[in-house]
Amino acid sequence: MRNSKDKSRRNSIWYYDPPRGLDKIVQKFTKLTKFSQSNFSALAYGQVRIICASLYSIERGLVSLNHVGSGPAADIIANLVSGIGRKRIDFLQNNTDYFDDVTREYAYYKQLDDTVINFRGESPRKYVLVKTMPPPGAHEYQRTQYRYRDHLCDHHLEGAHNLHSTRPAQLASVLQNIDQLKSWDHKPFFITFAHHFYNDFCGHAESLADWIQDWFTNQEPFMNTGINPMGWSVMEKLMDDTDGGRIHIDIKHMSPLSRKQYIDF
């Protein structure tokens, strides 16, 4: 997808979509957020300077629903909850290559990296993708811009399922994808190892309400289990610090047992 410099276009990362009256009412009574919360214009208005952007291909379990499968009814329900559009939902329902999806998402960010965006009546702005996540006070965070307001953007992967090119996961393919990940111009700083569903690597924690699990999804398989042998191989590959290539592990969404095993390790 093209990342447009025109902030009025929906395919722009700068597209501004503040909540309006009906949006606020829907959010209050249904808890469904039907407006963008973290587009770059909103981040700019909020004076956010350092951004950790999530690369995430939505898991099929969130768009192929219990009782209704992956047909038109599932599209309507999934779009009602997510607001991502039925075309995108149809793609996700049939996607077997999560890693290719996040690779294209990364390419979307790169299109406007270090590109000046004009704001009416305000200073121009741009975001800059950082190549590393240096400690506080390091040079890359001390860059001073007198003409532009920089927003420094780092990446992470939301869930190790994003390393899959097939399902079930094949270890050789996953390790190859990690090598590719580490060769990116802007290597992700960390990866949230688990997410909403079993990823063939480790057990996950409950993250969805019981009624959602019962009626729409199936989060329970392998929930609260530990890290399996393939998961250990993947984790060690990610944490390998050869040439400073380590990708750190975020334990959010891991099952309590998986967290304990990782911390002990």
Side-chain angles (χ1 to χ4, degrees), residues 55-64 88 91-105 157-167 169 177 184 197-200:
L55 299 178
Y56 170 51
S57 183
I58 295 175
E59 294 136 293
R60 285 187 296 278
L62 291 176
V63 291
S64 296
R88 174 65 174 165
F91 167 80
L92 292 168
Q93 288 170 343
N94 296 288
N95 181 36
T96 59
D97 193 341
Y98 287 128
F99 187 72
D100 179 69
D101 199 32
V102 295
T103 298
R104 288 186 285 111
E105 189 173 356
L157 260 67
E158 187 74 12
H161 70 280
N162 292 296
L163 300 172
H164 294 186
S165 290
T166 60
R167 190 65 192 268
N177 288 343
W184 285 2
F197 301 91
Y198 184 59
N199 60 15
D200 297 335

Side-chain angles (χ1 to χ4, degrees), residues 210-230:
D210 287 339
W211 69 270
I212 293 179
Q213 292 184 48
D214 292 340
W215 284 97
F216 298 117
T217 69
N218 188 18
Q219 190 184 28
E220 294 178 352
F222 296 96
M223 191 164 64
N224 295 323
T225 57
I227 303 170
N228 65 32
M230 182 161 60

Side-chain angles (χ1 to χ4, degrees), residues 153-207:
C153 180
D154 181 62
H155 285 116
H156 77 276
L157 260 67
E158 187 74 12
H161 70 280
N162 292 296
L163 300 172
H164 294 186
S165 290
T166 60
R167 190 65 192 268
Q170 302 295 321
L171 180 58
S173 173
V174 170
L175 298 182
Q176 185 177 24
N177 288 343
I178 295 173
D179 283 332
Q180 184 176 334
L181 202 65
K182 291 187 175 189
S183 72
W184 285 2
D185 292 335
H186 313 90
K187 175 179 65 67
F189 177 52
F190 66 90
I191 180 170
T192 304
F193 200 68
H195 210 238
H196 294 302
F197 301 91
Y198 184 59
N199 60 15
D200 297 335
F201 304 139
C202 77
H204 52 289
E206 184 178 48
S207 60

